[in-house]
Amino acid sequence: MKYIPRRAEEPSTIEDFNAILSQASYKQDIVAGFSAAARMKELGIEPDSRTYSRLLNLLAQNDLGEEAFALLADMKASGIQPDVRCYNVVLMATAKDLSLQARVLEEMRQAGVKFNARTHEIRIRRYIAEQNAEMCLQELQTMYDNGMVPAPALMERIFVIVARRGLPRLALDLVHAFEHGTDNQAQAQVWVHILISSVKQYYEEGVAEAYSRLKADKIDMHEGLLIELLHHAAHSGNVELAEEVVERLKGLKVTLGEQHLAPLTEAYGKKGKFARVLAIFDELRSLGIEPTAGMGISFYRAVVPERRLRQSTDSLDSVLAMVEEWKKDGKPLHTVALNAIVKATATYGQLKRAEELYRSFASFGATPNADTFDALLIGSIQSENPSLTNDLFNRMKDEGITLSERTFERMITTSLKQTPYEAAFHWLEEMKSVPFKPSASTYAYIVKKLVYKNDPRAKAAFDEMEAQGYEISYSFRHWVETGGKERPQDDNLSEGEPTRRRVTDRTTQQKERQPTNAGVTSDTKPSVLGTTESPPS
């Protein structure tokens, strides 16, 4: 071997160079480390397992997976068998190259190197990076089966991944197992993610425990999380939680608005605490906040629960009694709240009480609007009281109120369910005179009704639908032409079922999405379906 002179105080033994490599690894100085390795080679000093270990650490620190894998092969070629610690370092180096990491794991298996806790933790970190909750749990179970337990910080990352995956119940079970019989306590971020996931999945137990833990640890919750929690409280009718969240929002100096008080209204409504609901409407008025229609819908659904429960009018009677008290006390009440009550009263078929409430709007400082008449008109049609329907419609026009396009369509479809159904054609003409352009689905519903009833006006209705510019699918056209003898392939509706399902092709659907208040086409002749006169009484 060629003689190479050494400089004074130059490292000359394997111990010297390993010390240099240790320092380079500590400082993460890959240049100094591999410069020392090159000098070792020049001096003919053979590396040992510690040398390779330190060089592998340097490569892992710089995510040089291919180089680490090559160095591992060189290590084996020199007669040094890598141990599990060396393989673990190479696994870390190949974290960004999953195919190469798989090759390292396969080499470990072939070499008979048993995985230790560190090996499993590296694999879990890989699955965490991929947001793969299932593989995290599989690896965790393998560790448990082999009597190993991951580091607490890694366990908490698994809990977070599982919660984000939409599995709050499983995440909560894992936390319970993690804390049981130990001093371990899940950190705040774990409970925040379990809370968020529980809210999204409507998991009441998870919401209650996560919120309780965060509250006990005095963890501040941001406005977005509190609003999510508030909506959950509304959905579940948890008025205590809803009120507590509102107080927390006030503590954050958040200016309360409709988006905060609407869920509170829904929560109280579901619990049947209607006095508090009316008080919230009054609170909004005092704050100068205009309640939205959504609040009215929530109130209505609380007064009129599921269809199977509508046989009882206890909720309605209770609300009407409260409204009467407010009226006696001269308290104002917002139109949105009154409309919800009018709609609920009409839904129960108590049109006389609904109309009386409508006539008393002024006593509450409220003014009827299109939604008021919407509820009354639909109720009168369902009750088969055409004279009241006509009276309400004329009164509405006298007050300068125009119904919405959707209300006209509902009046048409509701009238078609009645016997006789002539009023439907009157409302069709009223709708076009606004002018609103009836949708393809409205025309299709009319045509179906006439075909099912073998009404000769079916063809006129079909022709008018086509004259409005709607493109008719072949199957629907053929069904009409055959008098309903051959069912359309793209429609499975029976008589009397309103629909917005497809009866035309995609071009028609796109046209329907355009603004529909453009009125009827100018070249459309007067309809032969109905008349602009009042519906028969």
Side-chain angles (χ1 to χ4, degrees):
M1 185 171 64
K2 182 179 178 182
Y3 172 74
I4 301 175
R6 297 199 305 271
R7 294 185 293 274
E9 299 181 1
E10 183 180 18
S12 58
T13 65
I14 186 65
E15 287 76 14
D16 294 338
F17 280 103
N18 281 342
I20 293 172
L21 289 172
S22 293
Q23 188 70 10
S25 178
Y26 176 76
K27 295 181 177 180
Q28 299 187 11
D29 189 346
I30 191 171
V31 175
F34 275 87
S35 295
R39 184 60 179 162
M40 282 180 66
K41 189 173 183 180
E42 289 177 357
L43 295 174
I45 298 174
E46 293 293 331
D48 60 11
S49 60
R50 291 176 297 169
T51 310
Y52 280 110
S53 177
R54 286 157 178 74
L55 290 172
L56 287 171
N57 275 330
L58 285 166
L59 293 172
Q61 290 166 0
N62 291 272
D63 297 325
L64 298 172
E66 291 185 5
E67 290 78 359
F69 191 67
L71 185 61
L72 191 69
D74 185 70
M75 181 179 183
K76 290 188 290 185
S78 65
I80 302 174
Q81 181 58 40
D83 60 13
V84 68
R85 289 176 296 179
C86 290
Y87 277 110
N88 286 343
V89 174
V90 178
L91 286 173
M92 289 191 293
T94 57
K96 295 182 179 180
D97 190 337
L98 300 183
S99 62
L100 188 56
Q101 191 176 77
R103 290 173 60 189
V104 177
L105 291 167
E106 184 58 31
E107 276 204 16
M108 291 181 71
R109 294 187 183 97
Q110 291 179 0
V113 178
K114 291 185 177 181
F115 294 1
N116 63 7
R118 181 65 173 161
T119 312
H120 289 290
E121 288 182 352
I122 292 169
R123 286 164 60 84
I124 289 174
R125 285 192 174 89
R126 163 191 164 182
Y127 297 132
I128 288 174
E130 296 173 349
Q131 299 290 298
N132 191 333
E134 288 79 4
M135 291 306 298
C136 282
L137 293 173
Q138 183 176 317
E139 201 69 32
L140 180 62
Q141 187 60 51
T142 302
M143 292 189 72
Y144 286 153
D145 292 343
N146 288 281
M148 305 174 191
V149 179
L154 188 60
M155 287 288 290
E156 291 183 342
R157 293 181 66 186
I158 295 174
F159 304 154
V160 170
I161 290 295
V162 172
R164 284 179 176 173
R165 181 71 172 74
L167 302 168
R169 186 186 299 272
L170 178 56
L172 193 59
D173 289 343
L174 289 170
V175 171
H176 289 161
F178 172 69
E179 295 183 341
H180 180 69
T182 69
D183 294 331
N184 295 329
Q185 291 291 317
Q187 299 298 309
Q189 64 161 345
V190 173
W191 292 110
V192 167
H193 282 92
I194 290 177
L195 178 59
I196 293 171
S197 183
S198 297
V199 167
K200 290 180 179 178
Q201 300 298 324
Y202 303 110
Y203 177 41
E204 189 66 37
E205 183 181 337
V207 171
E209 183 167 353
Y211 180 69
S212 176
R213 289 290 291 266
L214 289 170
K215 188 168 64 171
D217 294 340
K218 298 181 179 180
I219 303 300
D220 291 332
M221 288 174 261
H222 57 77
E223 182 182 357
L225 176 57
L226 289 173
I227 289 178
E228 288 286 338
L229 196 56
L230 188 57
H231 283 289
H232 171 81
H235 176 82
S236 59
N238 190 335
V239 294
E240 294 80 9
L241 177 60
E243 287 284 12
E244 192 170 329
V245 171
V246 169
E247 289 303 314
R248 279 181 168 266
L249 287 166
K250 290 178 180 178
L252 294 177
K253 308 299 182 185
V254 174
T255 302
L256 295 183
E258 187 271 337
Q259 72 273 25
H260 305 114
L261 295 179
L264 192 61
T265 302
E266 184 176 350
Y268 274 104
K270 287 186 175 179
K271 285 296 183 182
K273 298 183 178 181
F274 301 117
R276 177 64 177 133
V277 173
L278 296 178
I280 292 173
F281 275 103
D282 189 51
E283 186 177 345
L284 283 170
R285 182 191 56 78
S286 64
L287 292 172
I289 299 172
E290 188 71 15
T292 64
M295 287 187 68
I297 292 172
S298 296
F299 188 17
Y300 165 78
R301 288 174 179 168
V303 179
V304 185
E306 298 276 338
R307 186 179 298 275
R308 63 180 180 274
L309 301 176
R310 287 186 187 173
Q311 60 268 26
S312 172
T313 61
D314 291 348
S315 295
L316 177 64
D317 294 338
S318 174
V319 170
L320 288 174
M322 291 177 192
V323 169
E324 191 62 31
E325 288 297 322
W326 278 53
K327 182 179 176 182
K328 290 179 181 178
D329 295 341
K331 293 182 180 179
L333 197 56
H334 199 278
T335 300
V336 171
L338 288 169
N339 282 345
I341 303 170
V342 168
K343 184 177 179 181
T345 309
T347 299
Y348 278 108
Q350 300 186 18
L351 279 178
K352 184 177 180 180
R353 296 175 81 181
E355 191 178 7
E356 288 174 356
L357 181 57
Y358 148 70
R359 293 180 183 279
S360 67
F361 268 43
S363 303
F364 299 97
T367 304
N369 57 20
D371 291 334
T372 314
F373 285 100
D374 181 303
L376 290 168
L377 286 166
I378 297 300
S380 65
I381 292 173
Q382 290 173 335
S383 299
E384 300 184 12
N385 191 337
S387 59
L388 176 59
T389 304
N390 190 49
D391 178 58
L392 288 168
F393 189 72
N394 289 333
R395 205 180 307 165
M396 177 202 71
K397 290 200 293 187
D398 291 342
E399 294 184 20
I401 298 174
T402 302
L403 289 181
S404 67
E405 178 187 1
R406 179 61 181 148
T407 300
F408 273 114
E409 290 185 345
R410 288 184 61 205
M411 290 172 67
I412 291 168
T413 55
T414 303
S415 297
L416 286 170
K417 295 179 186 178
Q418 312 304 318
T419 302
Y421 48 83
E422 299 301 316
F425 308 118
H426 165 74
W427 299 122
L428 178 67
E429 296 306 313
E430 287 286 357
M431 181 179 185
K432 291 190 291 184
S433 69
V434 172
F436 285 137
K437 180 178 179 179
S439 65
S441 58
T442 300
Y443 273 117
Y445 187 36
I446 293 172
V447 171
K448 286 178 197 150
K449 180 71 175 186
L450 298 177
V451 170
Y452 280 126
K453 290 296 183 181
N454 208 17
D455 192 313
R457 290 173 293 182
K459 186 178 185 309
F462 181 83
D463 291 342
E464 184 172 316
M465 177 180 180
E466 195 167 26
Q468 292 295 335
Y470 295 120
E471 296 182 23
I472 315 297
S473 66
Y474 169 78
S475 60
F476 187 67
R477 181 188 300 276
H478 183 66
W479 180 75
V480 174
E481 290 174 350
T482 60
K485 295 178 181 179
E486 296 185 19
R487 200 174 187 83
Q489 295 177 358
D490 58 355
D491 177 51
N492 60 357
L493 297 171
S494 60
E495 178 187 353
E497 292 181 342
T499 178
R500 283 189 177 271
R501 295 184 186 177
R502 191 177 77 86
V503 295
T504 57
D505 59 17
R506 290 184 179 179
T507 304
T508 306
Q509 288 182 322
Q510 291 172 356
K511 288 183 178 180
E512 281 198 76
R513 293 191 188 103
Q514 297 173 355
T516 54
N517 60 347
V520 295
T521 52
S522 58
D523 57 348
T524 301
K525 296 179 180 180
S527 174
V528 295
L529 297 175
T531 173
T532 56
E533 297 176 2
S534 302
S537 58

